[in-house]
Amino acid sequence: MASPTNRALERYKSAITAATSVVGAAMLLRRLVAGVLPAGTPPLVGALLLLPPPSARRHAVVIEEFDGAFYNRVFLAVRAYVSTLLAAAPTGAPPVVKASLPRGAGAGAEQIRLAMGPGTAVVDVFRGAELTWRLRSHGHGGGAGEAFRLSFDGQHRDLALGAYLPFVMARFEAMARDRRQAKLYSNEWGKWRSVRLRNASTFATLAMDAALRQDVLDDLGRFLGQKEYYERTGWAWKRGYLIHGPPGTGKSSLVAAMSNHLHFDVYDLDLGAVRSNTELRKLLIRMKSRSILLIEDVDCASVTAQSREADASNPAPKHQKVTLSGLLSMVDGLWSSSGHERILVFTTNHMDRLDPALIRPGRMDKRIHMGYCGFGAFKELAAIYHGVDAHRLFPEIEALLREVDVAPAELAEKLLATDDADAALETAAKLLRDREAGIEEDGGGYVKQKLHVGPTRARPRPRPVPAPARGVSAARQVVFGEEIVLGISRRQGHGSGRRGAGQGGSGMRGLGRGRR
């Protein structure tokens, strides 16, 4: 027989169980009611139902590591973004985090990636709303996986889903572009071959006028931010630059600086290796977006303009490769719209030799003249190479630069010849003094070669070069319909004039093939 104490204990347990069931049912009912109430429900109704205020209701989004059998791209973006939150040490960051170094990254502190451990959380503030990221482990198929849980107040649901998560994805894409190593592509047998672009040129290291540098940077920035403009106007999202100037003025370095600034790949197109207009179009289609197409020394490219005037009586020769019309179609025809965010760069030492149809407005949107070195550019070179901002030789060098033409590459060579700043500046000043006095260097200096431009005439196919005078050989090369005759003098022994002429012509034909 149960004692009174045992009966009281049993009644107490039953009451506790009943109360727990009632409280649980009430909480479940309250949660269901809170879920079906419209957003505009008056606060008084919620208070009568004992509902918490809207600010106290929490919503959550779970982002798992795997989406089926593949990695979830949103998870990867969140992991990279949370790493930046941990590095910035925001309020509410976990006291212990994990550190790792991505494969192939350098040993610098900026390459270290921080991560949370399972069960930890970090708080982010976006447009005044607090959002909490929590990492947890879970089972996935036969193995373990991880998932991020983003929780926020119910009133911030639209902000979290419509603005915050797209913001996280955009930050991830920007970080991926910044960490990405640009590549240099070259065409070979109708295909692109790539290597890493290791040129360290930047706009900060270029010897160019400060106003011109800023103008180019502003133009590139406007181009990147005009996606909606190009879509609205129906134009292909591309921009053409013609960079012209004497040799050694930094044209190629400017292209490398553009690539490093934009994190764009560079496709260095050798038109001489392209076998037809069809192959040219295929190469263009295989280019990636967000890239630079570079055609260097376009005035020396193996392109003819005859196809534009060709007719039945004067057909294009069979050996002709890329025609000017094919090149123009690539620049601004239908094939130019096969990608977006592309920059087309032509470089030339002689802009006056280019066909006007190639450089008219609309094809080349901006012309950049890389001229001889001025005093401002020289001061930048001295500061970059030797950390010199002022020197006793600066007034003399400034006066000499007003009188003589010298390429930045020539002065850079002198400044890099020694680690002694005074000796390097003295060597650069001597170069300018000698140039003003008309003294040419010998033994490793720059050697000038005279080019004699003959009259323009159409030549459907190469003709044999007539035998020159004794001791002189000549070779001809057709560049955009103009004939350039390179004269070379060579002393021959008695009776060797014919053999010497043949050797000279063969040598220059080899040079012509190399330039293509």
Side-chain angles (χ1 to χ4, degrees), residues 211-237:
L212 177 60
R213 177 191 294 111
Q214 190 60 45
D215 180 61
V216 175
L217 285 171
D218 293 343
D219 190 77
L220 292 173
R222 284 192 299 269
F223 168 73
L224 291 182
Q226 289 184 323
K227 178 180 180 180
E228 293 78 9
Y229 168 78
Y230 283 97
E231 290 178 348
R232 186 176 68 254
T233 57
W235 286 65
W237 193 5

PDB file of all heavy atoms in Angstrom, residues 211-237:
ATOM      1  N   ALA A 211      49.800  63.840 -65.555  1.00  0.00           N
ATOM      2  CA  ALA A 211      48.452  64.132 -66.057  1.00  0.00           C
ATOM      3  C   ALA A 211      47.992  63.058 -67.033  1.00  0.00           C
ATOM      4  O   ALA A 211      46.833  62.640 -67.009  1.00  0.00           O
ATOM      5  CB  ALA A 211      48.431  65.511 -66.719  1.00  0.00           C
ATOM      6  N   LEU A 212      48.909  62.577 -67.889  1.00  0.00           N
ATOM      7  CA  LEU A 212      48.560  61.510 -68.829  1.00  0.00           C
ATOM      8  C   LEU A 212      48.247  60.222 -68.081  1.00  0.00           C
ATOM      9  O   LEU A 212      47.307  59.503 -68.427  1.00  0.00           O
ATOM     10  CB  LEU A 212      49.702  61.294 -69.815  1.00  0.00           C
ATOM     11  CG  LEU A 212      49.526  60.154 -70.823  1.00  0.00           C
ATOM     12  CD1 LEU A 212      48.296  60.388 -71.685  1.00  0.00           C
ATOM     13  CD2 LEU A 212      50.767  59.997 -71.690  1.00  0.00           C
ATOM     14  N   ARG A 213      49.033  59.918 -67.041  1.00  0.00           N
ATOM     15  CA  ARG A 213      48.787  58.710 -66.258  1.00  0.00           C
ATOM     16  C   ARG A 213      47.390  58.750 -65.633  1.00  0.00           C
ATOM     17  O   ARG A 213      46.643  57.769 -65.706  1.00  0.00           O
ATOM     18  CB  ARG A 213      49.837  58.576 -65.166  1.00  0.00           C
ATOM     19  CG  ARG A 213      49.611  57.372 -64.259  1.00  0.00           C
ATOM     20  CD  ARG A 213      50.499  57.394 -63.036  1.00  0.00           C
ATOM     21  NE  ARG A 213      51.894  57.258 -63.374  1.00  0.00           N
ATOM     22  CZ  ARG A 213      52.786  58.224 -63.249  1.00  0.00           C
ATOM     23  NH1 ARG A 213      52.409  59.416 -62.801  1.00  0.00           N
ATOM     24  NH2 ARG A 213      54.031  58.025 -63.572  1.00  0.00           N
ATOM     25  N   GLN A 214      47.036  59.873 -65.044  1.00  0.00           N
ATOM     26  CA  GLN A 214      45.726  59.986 -64.412  1.00  0.00           C
ATOM     27  C   GLN A 214      44.604  59.924 -65.437  1.00  0.00           C
ATOM     28  O   GLN A 214      43.542  59.361 -65.179  1.00  0.00           O
ATOM     29  CB  GLN A 214      45.644  61.289 -63.614  1.00  0.00           C
ATOM     30  CG  GLN A 214      44.419  61.387 -62.714  1.00  0.00           C
ATOM     31  CD  GLN A 214      44.370  60.270 -61.694  1.00  0.00           C
ATOM     32  OE1 GLN A 214      45.363  59.943 -61.051  1.00  0.00           O
ATOM     33  NE2 GLN A 214      43.199  59.646 -61.564  1.00  0.00           N
ATOM     34  N   ASP A 215      44.846  60.490 -66.612  1.00  0.00           N
ATOM     35  CA  ASP A 215      43.834  60.446 -67.669  1.00  0.00           C
ATOM     36  C   ASP A 215      43.567  59.007 -68.110  1.00  0.00           C
ATOM     37  O   ASP A 215      42.413  58.619 -68.311  1.00  0.00           O
ATOM     38  CB  ASP A 215      44.301  61.292 -68.857  1.00  0.00           C
ATOM     39  CG  ASP A 215      43.290  61.281 -69.996  1.00  0.00           C
ATOM     40  OD1 ASP A 215      42.143  61.721 -69.789  1.00  0.00           O
ATOM     41  OD2 ASP A 215      43.641  60.816 -71.094  1.00  0.00           O
ATOM     42  N   VAL A 216      44.621  58.211 -68.247  1.00  0.00           N
ATOM     43  CA  VAL A 216      44.440  56.813 -68.644  1.00  0.00           C
ATOM     44  C   VAL A 216      43.714  56.042 -67.542  1.00  0.00           C
ATOM     45  O   VAL A 216      42.812  55.242 -67.813  1.00  0.00           O
ATOM     46  CB  VAL A 216      45.798  56.168 -68.962  1.00  0.00           C
ATOM     47  CG1 VAL A 216      45.644  54.681 -69.250  1.00  0.00           C
ATOM     48  CG2 VAL A 216      46.443  56.867 -70.158  1.00  0.00           C
ATOM     49  N   LEU A 217      44.097  56.267 -66.283  1.00  0.00           N
ATOM     50  CA  LEU A 217      43.432  55.583 -65.177  1.00  0.00           C
ATOM     51  C   LEU A 217      41.952  55.934 -65.113  1.00  0.00           C
ATOM     52  O   LEU A 217      41.096  55.070 -64.893  1.00  0.00           O
ATOM     53  CB  LEU A 217      44.119  55.946 -63.859  1.00  0.00           C
ATOM     54  CG  LEU A 217      45.479  55.286 -63.594  1.00  0.00           C
ATOM     55  CD1 LEU A 217      46.147  55.903 -62.375  1.00  0.00           C
ATOM     56  CD2 LEU A 217      45.322  53.786 -63.391  1.00  0.00           C
ATOM     57  N   ASP A 218      41.620  57.205 -65.290  1.00  0.00           N
ATOM     58  CA  ASP A 218      40.218  57.623 -65.271  1.00  0.00           C
ATOM     59  C   ASP A 218      39.445  56.990 -66.422  1.00  0.00           C
ATOM     60  O   ASP A 218      38.290  56.579 -66.254  1.00  0.00           O
ATOM     61  CB  ASP A 218      40.122  59.147 -65.343  1.00  0.00           C
ATOM     62  CG  ASP A 218      40.671  59.825 -64.097  1.00  0.00           C
ATOM     63  OD1 ASP A 218      40.825  59.135 -63.071  1.00  0.00           O
ATOM     64  OD2 ASP A 218      40.969  61.022 -64.155  1.00  0.00           O
ATOM     65  N   ASP A 219      40.076  56.907 -67.586  1.00  0.00           N
ATOM     66  CA  ASP A 219      39.400  56.325 -68.740  1.00  0.00           C
ATOM     67  C   ASP A 219      39.129  54.836 -68.519  1.00  0.00           C
ATOM     68  O   ASP A 219      38.047  54.336 -68.852  1.00  0.00           O
ATOM     69  CB  ASP A 219      40.248  56.531 -69.995  1.00  0.00           C
ATOM     70  CG  ASP A 219      39.493  56.176 -71.269  1.00  0.00           C
ATOM     71  OD1 ASP A 219      38.663  56.984 -71.698  1.00  0.00           O
ATOM     72  OD2 ASP A 219      39.736  55.081 -71.807  1.00  0.00           O
ATOM     73  N   LEU A 220      40.080  54.128 -67.943  1.00  0.00           N
ATOM     74  CA  LEU A 220      39.873  52.712 -67.647  1.00  0.00           C
ATOM     75  C   LEU A 220      38.773  52.516 -66.613  1.00  0.00           C
ATOM     76  O   LEU A 220      37.949  51.603 -66.715  1.00  0.00           O
ATOM     77  CB  LEU A 220      41.179  52.078 -67.150  1.00  0.00           C
ATOM     78  CG  LEU A 220      42.315  51.955 -68.165  1.00  0.00           C
ATOM     79  CD1 LEU A 220      43.585  51.480 -67.485  1.00  0.00           C
ATOM     80  CD2 LEU A 220      41.938  50.998 -69.292  1.00  0.00           C
ATOM     81  N   GLY A 221      38.742  53.398 -65.599  1.00  0.00           N
ATOM     82  CA  GLY A 221      37.704  53.298 -64.591  1.00  0.00           C
ATOM     83  C   GLY A 221      36.313  53.528 -65.157  1.00  0.00           C
ATOM     84  O   GLY A 221      35.360  52.825 -64.803  1.00  0.00           O
ATOM     85  N   ARG A 222      36.192  54.512 -66.052  1.00  0.00           N
ATOM     86  CA  ARG A 222      34.892  54.764 -66.677  1.00  0.00           C
ATOM     87  C   ARG A 222      34.459  53.580 -67.528  1.00  0.00           C
ATOM     88  O   ARG A 222      33.285  53.205 -67.552  1.00  0.00           O
ATOM     89  CB  ARG A 222      34.959  56.030 -67.533  1.00  0.00           C
ATOM     90  CG  ARG A 222      34.945  57.318 -66.741  1.00  0.00           C
ATOM     91  CD  ARG A 222      34.728  58.508 -67.659  1.00  0.00           C
ATOM     92  NE  ARG A 222      35.787  58.622 -68.642  1.00  0.00           N
ATOM     93  CZ  ARG A 222      36.888  59.328 -68.466  1.00  0.00           C
ATOM     94  NH1 ARG A 222      37.079  59.981 -67.324  1.00  0.00           N
ATOM     95  NH2 ARG A 222      37.811  59.401 -69.405  1.00  0.00           N
ATOM     96  N   PHE A 223      35.409  52.978 -68.237  1.00  0.00           N
ATOM     97  CA  PHE A 223      35.072  51.839 -69.089  1.00  0.00           C
ATOM     98  C   PHE A 223      34.517  50.678 -68.268  1.00  0.00           C
ATOM     99  O   PHE A 223      33.519  50.050 -68.642  1.00  0.00           O
ATOM    100  CB  PHE A 223      36.315  51.395 -69.867  1.00  0.00           C
ATOM    101  CG  PHE A 223      36.177  50.070 -70.557  1.00  0.00           C
ATOM    102  CD1 PHE A 223      35.386  49.943 -71.686  1.00  0.00           C
ATOM    103  CD2 PHE A 223      36.819  48.943 -70.061  1.00  0.00           C
ATOM    104  CE1 PHE A 223      35.247  48.719 -72.319  1.00  0.00           C
ATOM    105  CE2 PHE A 223      36.686  47.715 -70.687  1.00  0.00           C
ATOM    106  CZ  PHE A 223      35.897  47.608 -71.823  1.00  0.00           C
ATOM    107  N   LEU A 224      35.146  50.383 -67.126  1.00  0.00           N
ATOM    108  CA  LEU A 224      34.696  49.260 -66.313  1.00  0.00           C
ATOM    109  C   LEU A 224      33.321  49.507 -65.706  1.00  0.00           C
ATOM    110  O   LEU A 224      32.568  48.567 -65.462  1.00  0.00           O
ATOM    111  CB  LEU A 224      35.707  48.975 -65.199  1.00  0.00           C
ATOM    112  CG  LEU A 224      37.051  48.407 -65.621  1.00  0.00           C
ATOM    113  CD1 LEU A 224      37.908  48.136 -64.403  1.00  0.00           C
ATOM    114  CD2 LEU A 224      36.880  47.140 -66.432  1.00  0.00           C
ATOM    115  N   GLY A 225      32.987  50.764 -65.450  1.00  0.00           N
ATOM    116  CA  GLY A 225      31.731  51.069 -64.791  1.00  0.00           C
ATOM    117  C   GLY A 225      30.582  51.396 -65.725  1.00  0.00           C
ATOM    118  O   GLY A 225      29.548  51.903 -65.267  1.00  0.00           O
ATOM    119  N   GLN A 226      30.715  51.109 -67.018  1.00  0.00           N
ATOM    120  CA  GLN A 226      29.691  51.506 -67.985  1.00  0.00           C
ATOM    121  C   GLN A 226      28.997  50.308 -68.620  1.00  0.00           C
ATOM    122  O   GLN A 226      28.590  50.360 -69.776  1.00  0.00           O
ATOM    123  CB  GLN A 226      30.317  52.378 -69.087  1.00  0.00           C
ATOM    124  CG  GLN A 226      30.716  53.759 -68.617  1.00  0.00           C
ATOM    125  CD  GLN A 226      31.241  54.611 -69.752  1.00  0.00           C
ATOM    126  OE1 GLN A 226      31.929  54.125 -70.655  1.00  0.00           O
ATOM    127  NE2 GLN A 226      30.927  55.889 -69.718  1.00  0.00           N
ATOM    128  N   LYS A 227      28.820  49.240 -67.844  1.00  0.00           N
ATOM    129  CA  LYS A 227      28.150  48.063 -68.380  1.00  0.00           C
ATOM    130  C   LYS A 227      26.729  48.399 -68.826  1.00  0.00           C
ATOM    131  O   LYS A 227      26.306  48.039 -69.935  1.00  0.00           O
ATOM    132  CB  LYS A 227      28.114  46.962 -67.325  1.00  0.00           C
ATOM    133  CG  LYS A 227      27.394  45.702 -67.790  1.00  0.00           C
ATOM    134  CD  LYS A 227      27.396  44.636 -66.704  1.00  0.00           C
ATOM    135  CE  LYS A 227      26.679  43.373 -67.184  1.00  0.00           C
ATOM    136  NZ  LYS A 227      26.682  42.325 -66.131  1.00  0.00           N
ATOM    137  N   GLU A 228      25.976  49.093 -67.980  1.00  0.00           N
ATOM    138  CA  GLU A 228      24.595  49.444 -68.333  1.00  0.00           C
ATOM    139  C   GLU A 228      24.541  50.362 -69.538  1.00  0.00           C
ATOM    140  O   GLU A 228      23.636  50.249 -70.378  1.00  0.00           O
ATOM    141  CB  GLU A 228      23.897  50.091 -67.139  1.00  0.00           C
ATOM    142  CG  GLU A 228      23.669  49.167 -65.960  1.00  0.00           C
ATOM    143  CD  GLU A 228      24.931  48.958 -65.138  1.00  0.00           C
ATOM    144  OE1 GLU A 228      25.940  49.680 -65.396  1.00  0.00           O
ATOM    145  OE2 GLU A 228      24.932  48.074 -64.255  1.00  0.00           O
ATOM    146  N   TYR A 229      25.530  51.261 -69.650  1.00  0.00           N
ATOM    147  CA  TYR A 229      25.551  52.179 -70.792  1.00  0.00           C
ATOM    148  C   TYR A 229      25.722  51.413 -72.096  1.00  0.00           C
ATOM    149  O   TYR A 229      25.001  51.668 -73.078  1.00  0.00           O
ATOM    150  CB  TYR A 229      26.687  53.187 -70.614  1.00  0.00           C
ATOM    151  CG  TYR A 229      26.986  53.985 -71.867  1.00  0.00           C
ATOM    152  CD1 TYR A 229      26.186  55.056 -72.244  1.00  0.00           C
ATOM    153  CD2 TYR A 229      28.077  53.661 -72.673  1.00  0.00           C
ATOM    154  CE1 TYR A 229      26.454  55.781 -73.387  1.00  0.00           C
ATOM    155  CE2 TYR A 229      28.355  54.373 -73.823  1.00  0.00           C
ATOM    156  CZ  TYR A 229      27.544  55.442 -74.174  1.00  0.00           C
ATOM    157  OH  TYR A 229      27.820  56.144 -75.314  1.00  0.00           O
ATOM    158  N   TYR A 230      26.662  50.460 -72.133  1.00  0.00           N
ATOM    159  CA  TYR A 230      26.885  49.691 -73.355  1.00  0.00           C
ATOM    160  C   TYR A 230      25.673  48.826 -73.681  1.00  0.00           C
ATOM    161  O   TYR A 230      25.323  48.642 -74.853  1.00  0.00           O
ATOM    162  CB  TYR A 230      28.144  48.835 -73.213  1.00  0.00           C
ATOM    163  CG  TYR A 230      29.426  49.620 -73.372  1.00  0.00           C
ATOM    164  CD1 TYR A 230      30.122  50.092 -72.256  1.00  0.00           C
ATOM    165  CD2 TYR A 230      29.940  49.896 -74.626  1.00  0.00           C
ATOM    166  CE1 TYR A 230      31.294  50.806 -72.394  1.00  0.00           C
ATOM    167  CE2 TYR A 230      31.117  50.616 -74.779  1.00  0.00           C
ATOM    168  CZ  TYR A 230      31.790  51.068 -73.660  1.00  0.00           C
ATOM    169  OH  TYR A 230      32.939  51.792 -73.801  1.00  0.00           O
ATOM    170  N   GLU A 231      25.023  48.263 -72.661  1.00  0.00           N
ATOM    171  CA  GLU A 231      23.833  47.458 -72.916  1.00  0.00           C
ATOM    172  C   GLU A 231      22.690  48.319 -73.437  1.00  0.00           C
ATOM    173  O   GLU A 231      21.941  47.910 -74.324  1.00  0.00           O
ATOM    174  CB  GLU A 231      23.415  46.742 -71.634  1.00  0.00           C
ATOM    175  CG  GLU A 231      24.371  45.641 -71.204  1.00  0.00           C
ATOM    176  CD  GLU A 231      23.940  44.986 -69.907  1.00  0.00           C
ATOM    177  OE1 GLU A 231      23.023  45.547 -69.239  1.00  0.00           O
ATOM    178  OE2 GLU A 231      24.504  43.943 -69.538  1.00  0.00           O
ATOM    179  N   ARG A 232      22.558  49.526 -72.898  1.00  0.00           N
ATOM    180  CA  ARG A 232      21.459  50.391 -73.309  1.00  0.00           C
ATOM    181  C   ARG A 232      21.642  50.917 -74.717  1.00  0.00           C
ATOM    182  O   ARG A 232      20.683  51.043 -75.485  1.00  0.00           O
ATOM    183  CB  ARG A 232      21.334  51.566 -72.331  1.00  0.00           C
ATOM    184  CG  ARG A 232      20.127  52.468 -72.589  1.00  0.00           C
ATOM    185  CD  ARG A 232      19.991  53.554 -71.554  1.00  0.00           C
ATOM    186  NE  ARG A 232      21.058  54.536 -71.616  1.00  0.00           N
ATOM    187  CZ  ARG A 232      22.049  54.622 -70.756  1.00  0.00           C
ATOM    188  NH1 ARG A 232      22.127  53.770 -69.734  1.00  0.00           N
ATOM    189  NH2 ARG A 232      22.992  55.544 -70.874  1.00  0.00           N
ATOM    190  N   THR A 233      22.874  51.211 -75.091  1.00  0.00           N
ATOM    191  CA  THR A 233      23.138  51.780 -76.419  1.00  0.00           C
ATOM    192  C   THR A 233      23.353  50.718 -77.485  1.00  0.00           C
ATOM    193  O   THR A 233      23.401  51.047 -78.672  1.00  0.00           O
ATOM    194  CB  THR A 233      24.380  52.685 -76.357  1.00  0.00           C
ATOM    195  OG1 THR A 233      25.504  51.936 -75.873  1.00  0.00           O
ATOM    196  CG2 THR A 233      24.123  53.873 -75.422  1.00  0.00           C
ATOM    197  N   GLY A 234      23.506  49.455 -77.087  1.00  0.00           N
ATOM    198  CA  GLY A 234      23.697  48.385 -78.068  1.00  0.00           C
ATOM    199  C   GLY A 234      25.117  48.257 -78.576  1.00  0.00           C
ATOM    200  O   GLY A 234      25.354  47.535 -79.558  1.00  0.00           O
ATOM    201  N   TRP A 235      26.073  48.923 -77.942  1.00  0.00           N
ATOM    202  CA  TRP A 235      27.465  48.823 -78.362  1.00  0.00           C
ATOM    203  C   TRP A 235      28.124  47.633 -77.685  1.00  0.00           C
ATOM    204  O   TRP A 235      27.759  47.237 -76.580  1.00  0.00           O
ATOM    205  CB  TRP A 235      28.227  50.097 -77.980  1.00  0.00           C
ATOM    206  CG  TRP A 235      27.897  51.275 -78.829  1.00  0.00           C
ATOM    207  CD1 TRP A 235      26.699  51.917 -78.909  1.00  0.00           C
ATOM    208  CD2 TRP A 235      28.769  51.966 -79.715  1.00  0.00           C
ATOM    209  NE1 TRP A 235      26.763  52.966 -79.784  1.00  0.00           N
ATOM    210  CE2 TRP A 235      28.035  53.020 -80.299  1.00  0.00           C
ATOM    211  CE3 TRP A 235      30.103  51.805 -80.072  1.00  0.00           C
ATOM    212  CZ2 TRP A 235      28.585  53.895 -81.213  1.00  0.00           C
ATOM    213  CZ3 TRP A 235      30.656  52.689 -80.982  1.00  0.00           C
ATOM    214  CH2 TRP A 235      29.897  53.715 -81.550  1.00  0.00           C
ATOM    215  N   ALA A 236      29.119  47.050 -78.366  1.00  0.00           N
ATOM    216  CA  ALA A 236      29.916  45.998 -77.748  1.00  0.00           C
ATOM    217  C   ALA A 236      30.729  46.601 -76.603  1.00  0.00           C
ATOM    218  O   ALA A 236      31.273  47.712 -76.733  1.00  0.00           O
ATOM    219  CB  ALA A 236      30.846  45.351 -78.777  1.00  0.00           C
ATOM    220  N   TRP A 237      30.805  45.864 -75.485  1.00  0.00           N
ATOM    221  CA  TRP A 237      31.509  46.381 -74.310  1.00  0.00           C
ATOM    222  C   TRP A 237      33.009  46.177 -74.504  1.00  0.00           C
ATOM    223  O   TRP A 237      33.615  45.254 -74.019  1.00  0.00           O
ATOM    224  CB  TRP A 237      31.016  45.665 -73.065  1.00  0.00           C
ATOM    225  CG  TRP A 237      31.443  46.322 -71.778  1.00  0.00           C
ATOM    226  CD1 TRP A 237      32.110  47.505 -71.637  1.00  0.00           C
ATOM    227  CD2 TRP A 237      31.228  45.832 -70.458  1.00  0.00           C
ATOM    228  NE1 TRP A 237      32.323  47.785 -70.325  1.00  0.00           N
ATOM    229  CE2 TRP A 237      31.800  46.782 -69.566  1.00  0.00           C
ATOM    230  CE3 TRP A 237      30.619  44.693 -69.941  1.00  0.00           C
ATOM    231  CZ2 TRP A 237      31.770  46.608 -68.184  1.00  0.00           C
ATOM    232  CZ3 TRP A 237      30.595  44.532 -68.566  1.00  0.00           C
ATOM    233  CH2 TRP A 237      31.157  45.470 -67.701  1.00  0.00           C
TER     234      TRP A 237
END
